[in-house]
Amino acid sequence: MATIGFIGLGNMGGPMAANLAKAGHQVRVFDLVPAALEAAQQVGCEAAESATAAAKGAEFVITMLPADAHVHGVYLGEQGLYQVVNKDCLAIDCSTISAEMARKVASELNAHGIAFIDAPVSGGVAGAQAGTLSFMCGGNEADVERARPLLQQMGKNIFRAGDSGAGQVAKMCNNMLLSVLMVGTSEALQLGVAHGLDPQVLSQIMLQSSGRNWTLEVYNPCPGVMDNSPASRGYSGGFMVDLMSKDLGLAQRAAVASGASTPMGALTHNLYRAWSQLGHGKEDFSSIFNYLKPQTK
Ligand code: NAD
């Protein structure tokens, strides 16, 4: 069993750390929010006073943080983990950040003799709780293989997309597609409801027809259609609009840099930014369903 320092215990990191503790690892955790630390203690993790205290002496460090600046700050900032981790420690960042930042953190940590892979995830909070996440890794093969047994205790599909940063590229592409599916599913449901259909019935029909997609399968955006979806609990406890907006911004910047054409990604980015500006940034991203409500004539 391994000693693991786990930093970032939000909607995703909390249940991921819990699964590692359940598997018998010694998991020392840290988050800026005291309530998140207390919740982790209740599921078998050890609370640390700081990120450096959690990481010191660990064989693996796992981070699950919001965005680029948090990841760079935790590893390489003033109190950066690079100062305390063992030289044989493998750092695994599961946050969704830019591929450029993943490569920068990897090369700066490598310069200190510390191995690092990017390993962003897909599967949502339900996947994190059930231990069924998909991991998309970027890094050398030996490091990804070293991480694999741990990742398998939090997920069921572990992919190596390529070298450093490749996991983040795969994740950015996946989330851009997810946003398009979520907006498309939401507008189809709103159109059906506006014409008198029961959203439950329409969802069942589309699930068995050519419109079938992941959002209909496990993440229906219409309240009441699925018992355990964020939509049915007031769009709480899922994947925030602001985080989706961040991911779509990463995809748009990458599209500009490479000359790729991503008109649908540009459209959903603008929709999510506008929805955030209307005050919905902290809601689950399926709340875009409400933005697409028909206007009363
Ligand atoms: P979250 O906001 O719920 O959690 C982030 C946590 O990081 C918070 O608890 C915060 O207090 C903590 N944190 C921030 N700075 C810190 C620091 N310096 N030291 C310690 N802790 C710090 O976000 P989340 O939904 O758990 O998402 C985390 C990452 O995973 C994001 O990059 C997101 O894009 C990605 N992601 C989320 C989902 C999802 O469904 N929620 C799915 C896949 C990927």
Side-chain angles (χ1 to χ4, degrees):
M1 288 297 128
T3 314
I4 302 165
F6 200 115
I7 326 290
L9 304 166
N11 288 324
M12 296 294 287
M16 289 166 70
N19 279 332
L20 291 174
K22 211 194 302 170
H25 298 291
Q26 186 192 3
V27 189
R28 288 199 305 259
V29 294
F30 179 69
D31 193 288
L32 299 174
V33 176
L37 272 177
E38 279 157 33
Q41 268 178 306
Q42 281 173 12
V43 291
C45 301
E46 291 171 30
E49 282 183 357
S50 63
T52 45
K56 203 170 180 177
E59 293 159 71
F60 297 90
V61 168
I62 302 179
T63 41
M64 192 49 164
L65 298 163
D68 280 22
H70 308 83
V71 175
H72 192 266
V74 163
Y75 283 109
L76 291 142
E78 221 170 283
Q79 310 281 316
L81 302 187
Y82 77 95
Q83 299 170 71
V84 298
V85 296
N86 291 349
K87 291 297 176 212
D88 59 356
C89 172
L90 174 63
I92 305 170
D93 179 41
C94 298
S95 327
T96 305
I97 62 171
S98 67
E100 294 74 37
M101 180 55 82
R103 290 187 200 110
K104 180 176 159 70
V105 172
S107 82
E108 290 181 21
L109 284 178
N110 291 169
H112 292 286
I114 301 157
F116 173 91
I117 63 169
D118 46 297
V121 305
S122 177
V125 175
Q129 287 165 341
T132 57
L133 293 170
S134 290
F135 284 85
M136 310 164 198
C137 304
N140 73 43
E141 281 186 31
D143 289 338
V144 173
E145 287 315 306
R146 204 174 141 205
R148 190 177 292 275
L150 278 195
L151 302 184
Q152 280 169 335
Q153 283 160 341
M154 299 181 282
K156 68 171 186 207
N157 295 299
I158 321 297
F159 299 101
R160 178 177 175 267
D163 292 334
S164 187
Q168 295 296 351
V169 175
K171 172 66 185 168
M172 169 182 83
C173 294
N174 179 75
N175 273 24
M176 188 178 76
L177 175 57
L178 170 61
S179 73
V180 172
L181 294 172
M182 183 55 85
V183 170
T185 300
S186 294
E187 64 186 40
L189 285 170
Q190 287 288 15
L191 178 64
V193 169
H195 284 269
L197 294 197
D198 178 340
Q200 188 100 43
V201 173
L202 177 56
S203 295
Q204 283 309 317
I205 292 170
M206 294 193 296
L207 258 176
Q208 299 308 325
S209 306
S210 44
R212 182 183 189 116
N213 70 78
W214 185 84
T215 71
L216 285 168
E217 284 167 0
V218 300
Y219 219 102
N220 197 297
C222 179
V225 171
M226 243 171 214
D227 283 348
N228 50 1
S229 69
S232 296
R233 43 171 199 265
Y235 297 105
S236 67
F239 179 42
M240 283 184 269
V241 164
D242 282 345
L243 289 177
M244 176 54 99
S245 191
K246 169 207 59 161
D247 291 359
L248 292 169
L250 296 177
Q252 286 311 294
R253 278 197 293 283
V256 169
S258 61
S261 177
T262 54
M264 302 297 284
L267 178 57
T268 58
H269 186 211
N270 280 307
L271 284 170
Y272 274 104
R273 284 172 61 199
W275 189 229
S276 175
Q277 279 157 15
L278 288 168
H280 302 276
K282 303 293 171 232
E283 292 175 5
D284 180 74
F285 82 113
S286 60
S287 66
I288 200 76
F289 178 76
N290 287 332
Y291 196 29
L292 299 165
K293 254 190 197 140
Q295 303 295 311
T296 40
K297 286 185 198 143

